[in-house]
Amino acid sequence: MAATQGMMRIDRFLWFARIAKTRGIAQAMAASGHVRLDGRAIDKPAALVRVGCVIAFVTPGGRVRALRVAALPMRRGPADEARACYVDLIENAPSMRAGVDGGSARA
């Protein structure tokens, strides 16, 4: 266990930090191959993260999120405690599709 001290499975981190609603969803995210850890695509929920790692993924709403791990959480606590475990590196809005608002599209 000494080799993994200061590290945590990515699925547990995503769940503890309240990025994913359930641990199963966090495992599915990691296994999908669409999550990047320090720029490398991962396909296993057991991939290890440590403080300073960058996790990038696309949300179901179409937003790209990049998070820097600031601390490894000890539990799945309140939202304020969870937000203290990471820093959002990208602040962006969902992609806008033409004609969604109805007023900007021209015929």
Side-chain angles (χ1 to χ4, degrees):
M1 192 70 156
T4 60
Q5 192 162 357
M7 293 186 261
M8 174 182 278
R9 288 173 53 119
I10 193 164
D11 61 332
R12 288 188 71 207
F13 178 81
L14 293 172
W15 183 53
F16 281 4
R18 294 186 173 269
I19 304 301
K21 191 172 185 176
T22 67
R23 177 114 183 248
I25 292 171
Q27 288 172 338
M29 281 176 64
S32 71
H34 297 295
V35 176
R36 294 191 171 268
L37 180 61
D38 291 332
R40 180 181 96 251
I42 60 165
D43 59 355
K44 296 182 182 179
L48 297 175
V49 296
R50 62 176 57 105
V51 173
C53 286
V54 175
I55 302 169
F57 56 94
V58 177
T59 65
R63 284 184 29 195
V64 174
R65 288 193 74 185
L67 313 172
R68 174 168 286 125
V69 178
L72 296 177
M74 298 302 293
R75 65 186 182 119
R76 183 174 165 88
D80 291 336
E81 186 178 308
R83 274 191 296 274
C85 295
Y86 63 87
V87 176
D88 263 316
L89 299 176
I90 298 177
E91 295 289 330
N92 62 11
S95 61
M96 297 298 293
R97 295 189 182 116
V100 171
D101 61 315
S104 63
R106 294 181 186 230

